[in-house]
């Protein structure tokens, strides 16, 4: 396993990234926003491969939020087209790339074709080194509300009692069920906010905000973020 950031320390097992800054990257070049999203998709491929080579087990990426529907029809259609193309190619190369996919978010609002691609990718089980959790039409608040709704339905059906609910049980209803929380959350683009990403799971994550636009994000930036993570003193409320 390659080591990163600090020669003696392994990388986090779960890294999450808010892939932000595609629009500004395009604007800097006088290109349409969709060109920024295409460049962002390339950046994602590069970083996913790099994470696999480092031995990172889970990579969770924010690709489209529940709030991103506020954008123009043209931009949304462009993003959806890129996602379709990416997943079609990824499905063919899954075994070769030793990657497994999971999707976090309410997929029901996506086109039937895109939903089918997501399900096909998710259901394909094979040997893998890295699991990519793709956040699509994802919102942290939406995730918590749908989890609460599922639990309430089970209570109403007499399958559970209100007092059964614990933090551990609640996690079973989240999109991330069974996946360890990310140790590190990275947000490029210079913005310093969470924008409704992994609200439950990042309770004790280390955040690294970086002044680079996502399409310009390189493996060296990831090394830098991991090195910063290793310099942090995680206390989890203790001393
Ligand atoms: C992130 O880049 C991609 C999505 C939100 C889909 P943006 O499109 O938000 O880029 P900026 O923030 O406008 O630069
Ligand atoms: C967060 O970025 C969502 C994704 C990267 C998919 P946004 O660009 O939507 O966030 P805000 O609007 O700057 O908070
Ligand atoms: Mg943005």
């Amino acid at each position: 396993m390659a080591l990163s950031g600090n020669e003696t320390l392994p990388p986090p097992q779960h890294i999450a990234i808010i892939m932000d800054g595609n629009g500004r990257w395009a604007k800097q070049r006088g290109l349409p926003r969709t060109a920024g999203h295409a460049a962002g998709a390339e950046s994602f491929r590069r970083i996913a491969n790099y994470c696999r080579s480092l031995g990172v087990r889970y990579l969770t990426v924010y690709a489209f939020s529940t709030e991103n529907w506020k954008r123009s029809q043209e931009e949304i259609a462009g993003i959806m087209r890129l996602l379709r193309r990416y997943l079609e190619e990824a499905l063919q190369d899954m075994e070769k790339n030793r990657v497994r996919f999971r999707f976090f978010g309410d997929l029901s609002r996506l086109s039937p074709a895109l939903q089918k691609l997501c399900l096909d990718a998710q259901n394909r089980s094979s040997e893998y080194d890295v699991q990519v959790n793709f956040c699509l039409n994802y919102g942290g608040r939406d995730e918590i509300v749908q989890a609460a709704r599922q639990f309430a339905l089970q209570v109403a059906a007499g399958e559970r009692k209100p007092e059964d609910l614990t933090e551990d049980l609640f996690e079973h209803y989240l999109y991330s069920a069974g996946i360890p929380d990310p140790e590190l959350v990275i947000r490029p683009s210079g913005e310093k906010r969470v924008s409704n990403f992994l609200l439950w799971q990042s309770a004790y994550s280390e955040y690294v905000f970086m002044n680079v636009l996502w399409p310009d994000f390189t493996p060296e930036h990831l090394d830098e973020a991991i090195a910063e993570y290793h310099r942090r003193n995680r206390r989890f409320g203790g001393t």
Side-chain angles (χ1 to χ4, degrees), residues 203-206 233-239:
Y204 270 103
S205 301
E206 294 298 328
N233 180 4
R234 306 186 79 198
R235 284 186 292 275
F236 300 98
T239 51

Side-chain angles (χ1 to χ4, degrees), residues 1-236:
M1 186 196 294
L3 292 174
S4 169
N6 179 317
E7 287 305 303
T8 57
L9 296 169
Q13 68 167 334
H14 184 173
I15 296 178
I17 305 180
I18 300 175
M19 304 190 292
D20 193 25
N22 298 348
R24 278 162 283 175
W25 183 93
K27 192 166 179 209
Q28 281 176 355
R29 288 162 178 76
L31 297 169
R33 292 181 63 84
T34 310
H37 296 309
E42 283 314 308
S43 202
F44 165 70
R45 282 178 212 269
R46 201 165 54 231
I47 295 303
N49 280 331
Y50 187 58
C51 281
R52 189 190 49 195
S53 75
L54 290 180
V56 172
R57 291 289 288 162
Y58 302 94
L59 172 65
T60 301
V61 288
Y62 207 3
F64 195 87
S65 76
T66 47
E67 287 73 34
N68 287 147
W69 298 104
K70 292 175 189 159
R71 298 186 179 201
S72 73
Q73 279 307 315
E74 190 193 348
E75 180 171 355
I76 293 170
I79 292 170
M80 296 300 159
R81 218 174 15 251
L82 281 164
L83 281 167
R84 243 186 359 253
R85 195 185 310 155
Y86 172 78
L87 287 173
E88 277 163 4
E89 288 171 16
L91 261 165
Q92 298 188 341
D93 295 339
M94 266 173 93
E95 280 82 15
K96 190 180 93 205
N97 290 336
R98 297 182 61 85
V99 61
R100 177 163 97 165
F101 287 97
R102 223 148 114 187
F103 295 85
F104 293 4
D106 176 6
L107 301 185
S108 70
R109 204 171 157 184
L110 307 178
S111 73
L114 192 50
Q115 285 183 49
K116 182 170 185 310
L117 278 170
C118 293
L119 290 181
D120 286 352
Q122 193 159 263
N123 292 335
R124 182 89 69 86
S125 59
S126 63
E127 290 284 298
Y128 67 99
D129 295 326
V130 61
Q131 174 170 319
V132 171
N133 304 310
F134 238 97
C135 299
L136 269 188
N137 190 22
Y138 173 87
R141 288 183 172 180
D142 185 61
E143 178 181 35
I144 291 168
V145 167
Q146 70 80 30
R149 197 180 294 133
Q150 280 186 63
F151 178 73
L153 279 169
Q154 291 190 336
V155 172
E159 295 162 13
R160 294 244 185 228
K161 295 195 287 298
E163 56 271 28
D164 291 342
L165 194 59
T166 59
E167 290 185 11
D168 283 347
L169 180 63
F170 194 69
E171 284 182 345
H172 287 81
Y173 301 94
L174 298 174
Y175 296 125
S176 58
I179 299 169
D181 289 340
E183 297 101 311
L184 170 63
V185 179
I186 303 170
R187 181 166 194 160
S189 93
E191 306 299 351
K192 294 184 178 64
R193 55 176 169 262
V194 174
S195 300
N196 206 7
F197 189 46
L198 302 181
L199 298 181
W200 176 280
Q201 299 85 345
S202 68
Y204 270 103
S205 301
E206 294 298 328
Y207 276 89
V208 175
F209 296 100
M210 301 179 85
N211 259 326
V212 54
L213 301 174
W214 174 247
D216 291 328
F217 196 95
T218 61
E220 288 71 34
H221 290 106
L222 191 73
D223 284 344
E224 211 182 293
I226 293 173
E228 167 67 22
Y229 164 79
H230 283 311
R231 284 193 292 272
R232 304 271 177 94
N233 180 4
R234 306 186 79 198
R235 284 186 292 275
F236 300 98

